[in-house]
Amino acid sequence: MTSTDTQLLERYRAAVAVLTDLPNDAALYAASSESALLEANQLFATSQILLRNGGAFIAGEIAHRSAPELGSQGLAQRSGHRTPEQFIKTTNGVTGRDAVTAVRVGSLMREAAVEGDVDVVTGEVATPTQPWLSPVTDALGVRSISIEAAEAIRSGLGSPNSAISTEQLQDAASQLCDAARSLDPDALAREAKAFRDELDTEGVAIREEERRQKRSLRLYVQPDGTTKLVWIMDPETAATVRDIYDRTTSPKLGGVRFVDPARQTLADSILADERTPDQIASDGFEQLLKLGADANPDFLLGSGAPVIRLTATQTALERGTGLARIEGEVAPVSISTAWRLSCDAGLAGFVLADDGHVVNFGREQRFFTRKQKEALAIIWGGCACLGCQRPPSWTEAHHIVFWKRDNGKTDLADGILLCRHHHLLFHNNGWEIQRDKNSRYWLIPPAEQDPGQTPIELVSKNPAMRDLRREQLAS
């Protein structure tokens, strides 16, 4: 055993010895204070990053020593495994997804570590195959991001092409590494894909068509006599289906509380229904299919048809290039698609003017109208509370200047969207929301929560607002 082997193994043996000493008595956790529990959770998260980081180094080296050109002499193959991913999955007891992530990120880290060295396997000088990800390998090197975050950035950004340079992707990777400190890997992956779309607006139509070509619907008969439906939807189809699904199930899942008595009665009946949300959705879609199959093709169905809400900036529409956004969908669509959808009676189209506002639909009534709520959905993109991912269909319009207490007006500028949980939380626990002269919105915590009542900025969840800000900065 070489001195390098000894050094490597001694460090891992020491780490295992320390981790073995972690408490496994549930009573100890139950008796701990809230502050201690939160700190323990943060320490655990740090240990996870350290362990997964080390595991990725191992996975990357195993993958290198299992290169396809080595054939049956590769490390994984000699151990009885077809691929290094299968080797990691089996020996580490992890999921296939975790194994793939470890190998991909580990290989990236290895490339950065041996850059300029002569590869003993191929005899070639090692050079990074993805140099635009150097900020990611740097962040991994100082352990400031997890390997899951690294994979989210890698997969979301993609590779350079004729429209996007290596330098542009490198700059985006650097910004995403900073964002990784406050975003979970799933949110980071969405952010990385948004970066890609913003950098490569000309490629939006191509990626849009690629997603459309993946659409499919298949039926599988199960051994127990039931049948399973698997439906892969492009964003347009998904927007239509999601609208129907939300209408069918949202009251059961704690969605919008309706003001109209007739709709309130319907919502109450759904809440009292003994069926699960999945069963309600199944029965609802079955009935829709029956109604559609039996409809007279010479007449339109009722006004309750699903609505696709699409938003674009005024600049993009006038220019004919750029991005448009379908509510609820991560991937943008091209402006040409926006024009095509505008011919559809089932479209609610909104234009963001240069000042960031949409058309104001009235201010005199106590409750926000349907049109105002649709406008707020465009402005906020969902629940305005930080970290909340509830979509607009699960939110309620909230007066930041309270209607009764402060004689507030039902004005778009003084309205935001909050899910039921955060709406009740803010009303009942003394949280306030203020709008400054620059139309920025700030969440003010109650004094008992934060004695200094430090303002927290609330930012729109709608990617179309990001498009508008980017165009404003570019002008």
Side-chain angles (χ1 to χ4, degrees):
M1 182 179 293
T2 66
S3 60
T4 301
D5 293 342
T6 301
Q7 182 183 17
L8 177 67
L9 294 177
E10 283 182 351
R11 289 189 178 184
Y12 269 92
R13 287 166 182 161
V16 170
V18 171
L19 291 172
T20 302
D21 196 41
L22 287 176
N24 61 351
D25 181 4
L28 179 62
Y29 293 93
S32 64
S33 66
E34 186 175 275
S35 60
L37 189 63
L38 292 175
E39 184 175 351
N41 182 67
Q42 185 58 52
L43 291 170
F44 172 77
T46 302
S47 69
Q48 283 284 85
I49 290 177
L50 297 176
L51 283 171
R52 296 278 285 154
N53 185 287
F57 274 111
I58 295 173
E61 189 59 37
I62 289 175
H64 178 70
R65 301 187 188 192
S66 307
E69 56 264 33
L70 295 176
S72 60
Q73 295 305 306
L75 177 57
Q77 292 83 350
R78 283 189 285 112
S79 301
H81 302 282
R82 186 172 55 83
T83 64
E85 291 83 359
Q86 186 185 45
F87 178 91
I88 297 297
K89 177 182 175 181
T90 302
T91 58
N92 292 12
V94 297
T95 65
R97 179 180 179 179
D98 286 343
V100 169
T101 296
V103 168
R104 284 177 177 170
V105 176
S107 298
L108 187 68
M109 295 158 69
R110 188 187 188 283
E111 285 184 356
V114 302
E115 182 179 0
D117 295 345
V118 176
D119 193 312
V120 295
V121 175
T122 64
E124 299 177 352
V125 176
T127 57
T129 58
Q130 303 172 80
W132 57 92
L133 294 178
S134 59
V136 176
T137 55
D138 290 343
L140 287 166
V142 297
R143 297 167 173 171
S144 63
I145 65 172
S146 66
I147 68 167
E148 289 77 14
E151 174 60 11
I153 296 172
R154 185 205 67 79
S155 61
L157 285 182
S159 304
N161 59 20
S162 58
I164 304 179
S165 67
T166 297
E167 290 73 21
Q168 285 177 301
L169 286 185
Q170 191 173 41
D171 180 63
S174 179
Q175 294 182 55
L176 289 165
C177 285
D178 291 336
R181 298 187 179 95
S182 58
L183 296 176
D184 63 74
D186 290 337
L188 188 64
R190 292 191 292 270
E191 191 75 5
K193 290 175 182 176
F195 256 106
R196 177 73 192 207
D197 288 329
E198 291 168 9
L199 289 171
D200 188 13
T201 56
E202 297 301 320
V204 168
I206 296 174
R207 293 190 292 277
E208 183 184 345
E209 180 59 24
E210 288 174 348
R211 285 187 287 270
R212 179 168 172 75
Q213 292 302 324
K214 293 179 181 178
R215 69 193 187 282
S216 65
L217 190 148
R218 294 183 179 181
L219 290 172
Y220 298 91
V221 178
Q222 306 285 84
D224 63 357
T226 59
T227 299
K228 180 169 68 174
L229 175 71
V230 177
W231 195 357
I232 306 298
M233 293 174 273
D234 60 277
E236 280 183 46
T237 304
T240 300
V241 172
R242 183 177 289 106
D243 186 78
I244 298 172
Y245 181 88
D246 285 347
R247 291 191 205 180
T248 306
T249 63
S250 63
K252 185 73 172 180
L253 297 173
V256 176
R257 291 171 293 167
F258 302 112
V259 175
D260 181 82
R263 299 187 74 192
Q264 184 65 61
T265 300
L266 174 61
D268 290 341
S269 68
I270 295 176
L271 287 170
D273 199 310
E274 295 181 354
R275 294 174 296 174
T276 67
D278 289 348
Q279 291 171 335
I280 290 174
S282 176
D283 293 346
F285 274 84
E286 178 197 10
Q287 186 63 27
L288 283 171
L289 289 171
K290 288 179 178 178
L291 291 171
D294 195 43
N296 185 336
D298 296 328
F299 294 92
L300 292 174
L301 293 175
S303 61
V307 175
I308 295 178
R309 292 178 175 83
L310 185 140
T311 309
T313 67
Q314 186 174 5
T315 301
L317 287 172
E318 291 175 350
R319 190 173 53 208
T321 60
L323 310 176
R325 307 279 181 172
I326 295 176
E327 180 186 302
E329 298 303 311
V330 175
V333 297
S334 61
I335 294 299
S336 59
T337 294
W339 285 120
R340 176 173 58 80
L341 288 175
S342 68
C343 299
D344 189 342
L347 173 80
F350 297 89
V351 177
L352 286 174
D354 291 338
D355 60 3
H357 289 88
V358 295
V359 177
N360 195 326
F361 292 101
R363 306 178 182 216
E364 300 304 321
Q365 66 288 336
R366 165 66 176 89
F367 297 106
F368 287 95
T369 66
R370 176 182 174 183
K371 288 295 185 182
Q372 283 181 304
K373 289 178 181 178
E374 288 178 342
L376 288 173
I378 299 304
I379 294 170
W380 288 103
C383 178
C385 190
L386 293 176
C388 184
Q389 298 300 317
R390 292 299 194 192
S393 58
W394 282 40
T395 60
E396 302 168 352
H398 169 70
H399 295 80
I400 66 171
V401 181
F402 289 3
W403 173 271
K404 184 175 182 180
R405 188 193 70 184
D406 304 322
N407 195 30
K409 296 181 179 180
T410 305
D411 184 343
L412 283 179
D414 289 333
I416 65 169
L417 293 184
L418 296 172
C419 68
R420 183 176 187 182
H421 168 72
H422 288 113
H423 201 173
L424 292 173
L425 177 70
F426 290 171
H427 271 287
N428 296 340
N429 291 13
W431 292 75
E432 300 281 349
I433 299 173
Q434 296 177 356
R435 174 171 58 88
D436 65 20
K437 61 182 181 180
N438 297 316
S439 293
R440 296 169 70 187
Y441 294 76
W442 302 89
L443 180 63
I444 312 298
E448 57 268 24
Q449 180 77 21
D450 175 10
Q453 294 190 290
T454 306
I456 304 168
E457 186 173 8
L458 297 177
V459 181
S460 172
K461 307 288 179 61
N462 188 349
M465 299 300 289
R466 187 213 309 268
D467 299 338
L468 179 65
R469 289 195 296 271
R470 178 165 47 82
E471 289 171 355
Q472 290 172 334
L473 292 173
S475 62

